[in-house]
Amino acid sequence: SPPGDEPWTLLLIALTGLAILPFILYLRNPYFLQDLRYAISSIKVALCLRKFKKRKPFYSILDRFLDHAARQPHKPFILFEESSYTYSQADKVSNKVARALAAHAHLEEGDTVALFLGNEPQFVWVWLALAKLGCIASLLNHNIRSKSLLHCFSCCEAKVVVADLRGAVEEVLPTLSQQGVRVFILSEDSDVEGIESLSDKIRHASEQPLSPQLRASVTMKSPALYIYTSGTTGLPKAAVINHEKLWKSSFLQDIAGIRSDDIIYVYLPLYHSAGFQVGLCGAIEKGITVVLKRKFSASQFWNDCRKYNVTVFQYIGEIMRYLCNTPKRDNDRDHRLRLALGLGIRPDVWVDFLQRFGDIFICECYGATEGNVGFVNYCGKVGAVGKENFLHKMGGRYALIRYDTEKEEPVKDSGGFCIKVPRGETGLLVAKIGERAPFSGYARNNQQTEKKKLKDVFVKGDLYFNSGDLLKIDSEGFVFFQDRIGDTFRWKGENVATTEVADHLLTVDWVEEANVYGVKVPGHEGRIGMAALKLKEGMDFEGKVLYQHVKNFLPSYARPRFIRIQEELAVTGTFKQMKVKLAEEGFNPGNIRDHLFYLEDGKGYVPMTQEIFSSIAEGTIRL
């Protein structure tokens, strides 16, 4: 080519290179664009947090709410049953609540107040009021009673209780009075000594704004909430949620792609981190409208979505399965939902849900209320709870380490340090505790706080958070939940993952729900598999069919030896299956009213009798 054409040739080559670069990047990483989008969102969140920390006084979720109330006063904030409350109305009502509590409960900055309320607007008004006074809210599970309830009060040392359940509070009133705890009920009057009415006092209070000086000493590191972990065993533990952690979880909506014109449906309990931190506080961060529901109803779900024009909803645990189990209708795809945000959806349900209800992006996440590590599946990969990103490694160190399920402890090398598992292998997730990824622990429970820490993991003196979860990371960086360390059991020298066995059982036509767990057998090492099943309506248990199914799909050590048929499978308040109580109850037909079946070699599942149980207990039948 002529000498003058060289610059144009070079430019053409450069432009061609730029044009094919995305294609090359795609071939190397098909998720490049999603990775890039996630990285940009995460950097934006980190910059926001840094800015909020530097502001004096620091900028809280409450300040975000007040900004929205000033900028969009008439935008609906809470839609509840037939009522609608704007951001401005919520601000004014919470001012009245704050003034009533300051005047009659004599609350001051730093005091803790227990909220014993159901999912209703008053829950939100009381929390906003406490934030305006610089107080810490202790969010109590409104289903707990007596001993557990008193335990939760003592964990957080609440000075005041605000409740709507008079009967439940009356049960523990003598102890609360003895401890000097003031009890207020959302009622116009009270005829019970020791219980004071609050609604009348709110009605008479002024709606004028409160001075920010009332919360002047609150910082990013100050406790904002106590949220109780819905453990399936033992008494609840109060996880300390500071303002920084509250901000981080509220930004999850932003990372998931929720927009300022979305309407989110929150039916998860507000006493739990998913409903309160991600749902409510995430909505405040975005300035969007919340459709608040007292409790989840599979039969009302889609009608509610249509009625309120819902575009986003949260899910947890077994919720999605409940929705898939509802009778099919012609209008299943008649809705405006575009995004579901949550955790705990099984792969089979994920596929069924999308096939039946249409193109809804499912953003599955992984995290724990008190944890210092989390993942987001921003690609929509079926079955994954998250995806690794280079920013994860920068944000805080984590690893999957080899774990011995029989000894219930990490495997150590000759130097006494933990061993990282290679890609594609299952390991215990641990995350380094430090400035970038702190672990605040549990309120007034040093023993449980220390139990969640692992020392000298990779080098002498390091400190890691023990998630208690077994995960697997594949070659593309997708993260898969395998099991809780207490749920995975060992039988015949092999590890059995309860989730994997349950997934296989759920493919049987007549099985609606399955909960797999290990039970102890006299004279045997480890635990043997047992499954609690809920059958589909009008269907019967077919022992030979199930035997053939588990024989085809599961190794002998993983096949459930005992089956328990239940009308309903027990779940926690946040729809997670409960295994511990079932495991403790075992397989003795003398103690269990439900129908039990035993896997007899070569025959299939036969009705469990007292005679079979005695033979197993005495060692006549070897399993």
Side-chain angles (χ1 to χ4, degrees):
S1 61
D5 285 353
E6 277 184 19
W8 294 105
T9 307
L10 290 171
L11 181 62
L12 187 64
I13 292 166
L15 289 172
T16 306
L18 283 172
I20 64 167
L21 181 64
F23 180 68
I24 294 166
L25 288 169
Y26 178 80
L27 287 178
R28 285 182 63 84
N29 176 12
Y31 305 100
F32 171 73
L33 286 177
Q34 289 106 313
D35 287 344
L36 184 64
R37 203 176 299 125
Y38 175 80
I40 291 166
S41 296
S42 299
I43 290 165
K44 215 167 71 180
V45 164
L47 292 173
C48 275
L49 268 174
R50 187 179 293 180
K51 188 173 79 178
F52 297 164
K53 279 181 189 176
K54 284 181 177 175
R55 280 174 66 162
K56 300 285 184 231
F58 102 102
Y59 189 71
S60 67
I61 283 280
L62 170 66
D63 293 311
R64 177 75 106 207
F65 168 79
L66 294 173
D67 280 353
H68 287 312
R71 288 180 197 148
Q72 49 181 38
H74 306 301
K75 180 169 182 174
F77 172 40
I78 303 280
L79 302 179
F80 180 75
E81 294 172 356
E82 300 308 315
S83 302
S84 174
Y85 304 90
T86 65
Y87 271 84
S88 174
Q89 286 172 318
D91 182 28
K92 287 171 182 172
V93 176
S94 58
N95 286 342
K96 288 165 79 76
V97 177
R99 290 184 180 279
L101 286 171
H104 299 279
H106 312 298
L107 290 178
E108 294 175 356
E109 186 179 30
D111 286 341
T112 299
V113 177
L115 270 64
F116 193 48
L117 304 168
N119 271 28
E120 53 192 301
Q122 286 86 338
F123 188 115
V124 184
W125 313 155
V126 174
W127 166 66
L128 285 169
L130 295 176
K132 288 175 178 182
L133 295 171
C135 294
I136 305 157
S138 178
L139 312 183
L140 304 186
N141 178 340
H142 67 277
N143 298 304
I144 59 171
R145 298 291 182 270
S146 57
K147 185 186 171 187
S148 289
L149 186 54
L150 285 172
H151 166 76
C152 290
F153 284 127
S154 62
C155 277
C156 65
E157 292 184 349
K159 186 178 169 181
V160 169
V161 180
V162 178
D164 61 358
L165 298 159
R166 183 175 302 198
V169 176
E170 277 186 53
E171 274 181 39
V172 295
L173 192 58
T175 311
L176 293 179
S177 301
Q178 204 179 334
Q179 292 172 356
V181 177
R182 301 271 302 277
V183 179
F184 288 88
I185 199 119
L186 288 173
S187 164
E188 286 290 327
D189 52 61
S190 172
D191 53 6
V192 178
E193 192 182 339
I195 295 181
E196 304 169 63
S197 60
L198 185 59
S199 299
D200 54 324
K201 297 170 179 64
I202 293 169
R203 194 162 34 83
H204 292 122
S206 162
E207 63 180 33
Q208 287 303 303
L210 286 91
S211 167
Q213 282 304 306
L214 292 168
R215 54 183 190 277
S217 303
V218 177
T219 70
M220 268 288 192
K221 299 294 182 187
S222 303
L225 308 164
Y226 295 120
I227 287 187
Y228 294 80
T229 57
S230 57
T232 47
T233 179
L235 292 165
K237 303 185 288 285
V240 182
I241 310 297
N242 63 22
H243 286 275
E244 182 177 19
K245 192 166 176 67
L246 190 57
W247 263 124
K248 283 179 179 176
S249 46
S250 67
F251 276 124
L252 188 57
Q253 286 198 21
D254 198 61
I255 286 168
I258 293 173
R259 307 185 301 245
S260 58
D261 61 341
D262 276 316
I263 295 173
I264 189 168
Y265 188 27
V266 176
Y267 51 78
L268 296 175
L270 289 177
Y271 61 73
H272 194 260
S273 54
F276 188 88
Q277 293 172 240
V278 179
L280 178 67
C281 292
I284 289 172
E285 193 280 316
K286 298 298 293 178
I288 64 176
T289 301
V290 175
V291 175
L292 187 62
K293 182 88 170 170
R294 286 189 194 275
K295 62 179 184 178
F296 172 73
S297 164
S299 60
Q300 294 170 22
F301 180 88
W302 295 106
N303 288 337
D304 281 346
C305 288
R306 294 179 194 108
K307 177 180 176 180
Y308 298 109
N309 292 316
V310 173
T311 57
V312 176
F313 76 97
Q314 282 183 281
Y315 66 88
I316 201 166
E318 292 293 289
I319 289 284
M320 300 294 244
R321 186 180 302 284
Y322 298 156
L323 291 174
C324 287
N325 286 342
T326 56
K328 290 187 177 178
R329 299 183 189 280
D330 294 338
N331 64 346
D332 276 345
R333 291 184 171 224
D334 176 20
H335 57 75
R336 291 184 59 200
L337 281 172
R338 64 175 196 88
L339 194 148
L341 174 65
L343 63 155
I345 182 172
R346 292 261 180 85
D348 61 317
V349 177
W350 194 322
V351 173
D352 289 350
F353 187 87
L354 294 180
Q355 282 175 352
R356 180 170 165 188
F357 299 111
D359 189 19
I360 299 167
F361 182 79
I362 294 177
C363 185
E364 171 83 354
C365 308
Y366 168 84
T369 302
E370 69 276 43
N372 66 341
V373 62
F375 298 101
V376 181
N377 178 358
Y378 50 85
C379 299
K381 168 102 168 180
V382 173
V385 299
K387 188 175 189 295
E388 277 193 314
N389 192 285
F390 70 93
L391 290 168
H392 275 119
K393 295 288 183 187
M394 287 169 62
R397 283 180 58 193
Y398 63 88
L400 300 186
I401 59 172
R402 193 154 282 147
Y403 187 80
D404 187 325
T405 51
E406 201 163 17
K407 292 180 181 172
E408 296 191 335
E409 61 184 35
V411 176
K412 302 284 179 77
D413 63 15
S414 56
F417 297 113
C418 296
I419 304 160
K420 290 181 185 178
V421 299
R423 292 248 163 190
E425 272 193 33
T426 297
L428 172 67
L429 174 69
V430 295
K432 192 166 189 181
I433 297 169
E435 181 61 33
R436 281 182 174 177
F439 168 56
S440 302
Y442 307 106
R444 279 163 275 283
N445 194 335
N446 197 49
Q447 186 188 1
Q448 290 295 338
T449 299
E450 290 305 309
K451 264 178 84 172
K452 294 297 283 183
K453 294 176 183 175
L454 287 177
K455 297 179 176 71
D456 305 332
V457 176
F458 298 116
V459 292
K460 205 83 180 148
D462 67 8
L463 193 62
Y464 278 71
F465 170 74
N466 178 358
S467 71
D469 291 327
L470 296 169
L471 306 182
K472 182 170 75 178
I473 300 175
D474 72 8
S475 58
E476 292 181 310
F478 284 103
V479 184
F480 296 86
F481 177 82
Q482 300 300 104
D483 229 338
R484 291 285 298 162
I485 55 175
D487 295 345
T488 286
F489 57 90
R490 201 164 169 82
W491 182 250
K492 303 285 185 190
E494 300 284 353
N495 289 339
V496 181
T498 59
T499 48
E500 200 178 315
V501 178
D503 285 344
H504 282 296
L505 295 177
L506 287 163
T507 60
V508 178
D509 289 347
W510 36 265
V511 175
E512 185 165 302
E513 292 175 48
N515 187 1
V516 177
Y517 49 97
V519 288
K520 287 194 158 86
V521 183
H524 290 73
E525 289 293 317
R527 289 184 287 159
I528 198 166
M530 185 163 179
L533 302 180
K534 180 187 175 183
L535 307 183
K536 287 181 181 171
E537 204 173 334
M539 305 285 252
D540 296 320
F541 177 78
E542 297 177 47
K544 284 184 179 171
V545 172
L546 187 65
Y547 172 55
Q548 203 53 51
H549 184 82
V550 297
K551 211 167 105 173
N552 290 345
F553 293 101
L554 292 169
S556 57
Y557 62 82
R559 294 169 198 160
R561 202 66 194 242
F562 305 100
I563 298 290
R564 179 174 178 172
I565 306 298
Q566 293 192 297
E567 292 289 317
E568 293 293 333
L569 298 194
V571 290
T572 66
T574 49
F575 305 98
K576 291 173 188 165
Q577 290 182 336
M578 298 178 78
K579 298 177 188 282
V580 175
K581 190 167 181 289
L582 289 170
E584 285 170 356
E585 288 170 358
F587 54 94
N588 185 349
N591 301 336
I592 296 166
R593 288 185 179 179
D594 298 327
H595 289 297
L596 295 177
F597 294 88
Y598 162 67
L599 178 53
E600 196 171 314
D601 292 328
K603 281 191 181 177
Y605 288 97
V606 298
M608 179 74 183
T609 62
Q610 199 63 48
E611 192 184 341
I612 295 172
F613 176 79
S614 301
S615 299
I616 293 168
E618 289 160 10
T620 318
I621 295 178
R622 295 293 293 172
L623 299 179

